[in-house]
Amino acid sequence: MKKKDLFLLVLVFALTWSCKKDDDKLDIEVVPPQSLSETAIEDDAEIKEYLQTHFYNYEEFDNPPTDFDYKIKFDTIAGDNAGKTPIIDMTDNLKTEVITVKSSDFGRDDDEEVSHTLYTLVVREGEVEEHPTIGDYTVLHYEGTLIDGTAFDASVNVEARLYLSSTVRGYGNGVEYLSPGTGPFENGDGTVSFEGYGIGAVFIPSGLGYFDRAPSGSGIASYTPLVFKIDLLSFEANTDFDGDGIPSILEDLDGDGNLNNDNTDQDTERIFLPNHNDSDDDADGIPTIDEIDIDNEGNVTFRDTDGDGISDHLDSDS
């Protein structure tokens, strides 16, 4: 299977779903169609309420017991836990980012552009002081749940290698706040381990998740916020997903943190392939890698042969 074909499959499914028998599938409530704007308001209220009424095991992370597994555990602030600090008040750990989402990204024709707030809880910084971009491959553990804690996917004991722009947008943008650890280290039994990796969780409104396009059999209803616990083990900086010589992050032409809406030759394509997944970005028959210059250190220089202010690899008549 070609990389482009694989990307289309990965983008549709976004994350690898755990195999379930039919009788193990979650019941899905059929929800009437909603606009992006009204859903954003409802999702943000639901996420904020959760953050105000829940805490995580921060005391264990601050003073790890001998047998601590370094796993995030959420619980309700009530009863014996009444004095715990709510997540929303942990301002040093909770990162918020406002991201604009277009309804056209979900096939809508109502031309809405709606601000969504992404909440990322950084529980532990990784030992390596670098961060991945939305255009990088990452190696991580993750657990995906609905906001009520119902699990729908996980790769907890096996390292998952994910290209962040092939996941739902909020997941990729959230992972950017984490930093990796060191490793891999051979364990002598065919497995590897990592040390000092970043640990966090991301709370994703549906407009930065699946909105009304959740994969069949996933157990996720339309317009459902998602929560992912994440261990960022490592990442591959300056990933070049399509092998065209340009790091994927440099193919975010409008700088909006979404690589999947930058497609120079979309008017001529039979299948929509954004630039970071297209080895001939302007469809002129000349591979992108032959229209740029790369030095011995991997730095890219963009040519403009006809001096029109458009780089050759984006200019079909250059």
Side-chain angles (χ1 to χ4, degrees):
M1 181 178 290
K2 295 181 180 179
K3 182 181 288 185
K4 289 184 179 180
D5 297 331
L6 178 60
F7 172 80
L8 293 175
L9 292 176
V10 173
L11 186 60
V12 170
F13 289 100
L15 297 173
T16 304
W17 302 106
S18 301
C19 296
K20 301 182 178 74
K21 296 180 181 178
D22 289 343
D23 56 358
D24 290 335
K25 291 180 181 177
L26 303 175
D27 292 330
I28 302 298
E29 178 185 358
V30 177
V31 182
Q34 296 179 194
S35 69
L36 185 63
S37 54
E38 66 179 319
T39 303
I41 294 171
E42 293 174 0
D43 286 353
D44 193 58
E46 185 175 0
I47 292 172
K48 280 183 177 177
E49 181 181 8
Y50 183 91
L51 298 176
Q52 290 165 348
T53 58
H54 288 73
F55 72 101
Y56 77 94
N57 51 330
Y58 55 86
E59 292 168 326
E60 290 184 306
F61 276 94
D62 290 342
N63 297 287
T66 302
D67 58 349
F68 186 43
D69 60 4
Y70 289 92
K71 299 298 183 184
I72 299 173
K73 298 178 180 65
F74 295 123
D75 203 349
T76 306
I77 298 176
D80 292 341
N81 297 322
K84 302 296 185 182
T85 302
I87 298 169
I88 202 163
D89 289 343
M90 307 196 78
T91 54
D92 289 341
N93 302 83
L94 188 64
K95 316 298 180 182
T96 60
E97 180 180 358
V98 177
I99 299 172
T100 299
V101 180
K102 298 178 181 179
S103 59
S104 58
D105 293 341
F106 298 101
R108 301 290 183 91
D109 57 7
D110 51 9
D111 296 324
E112 284 194 307
E113 293 190 12
V114 182
S115 295
H116 289 67
T117 301
L118 180 70
Y119 299 86
T120 303
L121 178 66
V122 180
V123 171
R124 185 177 79 171
E125 296 281 359
E127 291 181 355
V128 178
E129 296 182 0
E130 297 178 358
H131 295 265
T133 72
I134 195 68
D136 289 332
Y137 264 112
T138 56
V139 178
L140 36 72
H141 296 147
Y142 68 86
E143 179 184 4
T145 70
L146 308 183
I147 207 162
D148 65 2
T150 302
F152 61 83
D153 188 27
S155 181
V156 176
N157 298 315
V158 178
E159 292 76 33
R161 183 173 180 263
L162 293 178
Y163 178 57
L164 291 184
S165 278
S166 69
T167 67
V168 292
R169 186 173 176 186
Y171 183 96
N173 289 142
V175 172
E176 289 182 298
Y177 285 93
L178 302 179
S179 49
T182 56
F185 302 105
E186 298 288 343
N187 294 326
D189 59 359
T191 64
V192 298
S193 59
F194 295 80
E195 296 178 357
Y197 48 82
I199 301 171
V202 58
F203 300 84
I204 305 173
S206 62
L208 293 172
Y210 292 111
F211 195 53
D212 59 357
R213 297 185 171 192
S216 175
S218 66
I220 302 172
S222 295
Y223 320 118
T224 301
L226 307 175
V227 180
F228 282 95
K229 299 174 185 176
I230 301 164
D231 300 337
L232 178 60
L233 308 176
S234 67
F235 73 94
E236 300 170 26
N238 296 315
T239 293
D240 177 11
F241 183 74
D242 57 5
D244 67 355
I246 303 175
S248 295
I249 190 59
L250 297 184
E251 305 208 66
D252 182 12
L253 302 182
D254 55 10
D256 67 349
N258 181 8
L259 300 186
N260 293 310
N261 62 5
D262 299 280
N263 188 5
T264 300
D265 58 359
Q266 64 182 9
D267 293 336
T268 65
E269 288 182 330
R270 183 175 58 86
I271 298 175
F272 186 92
L273 292 175
N275 288 3
H276 72 109
N277 189 42
D278 191 342
S279 59
D280 180 8
D281 292 329
D282 57 3
D284 64 354
I286 304 173
T288 292
I289 198 168
D290 292 334
E291 297 189 282
I292 61 176
D293 296 312
I294 307 173
D295 66 20
N296 292 333
E297 296 181 355
N299 299 309
V300 179
T301 300
F302 298 107
R303 303 175 197 159
D304 180 12
T305 303
D306 57 10
D308 64 355
I310 303 174
S311 299
D312 287 2
H313 75 290
L314 302 176
D315 189 354
S316 60
D317 61 1
S318 61

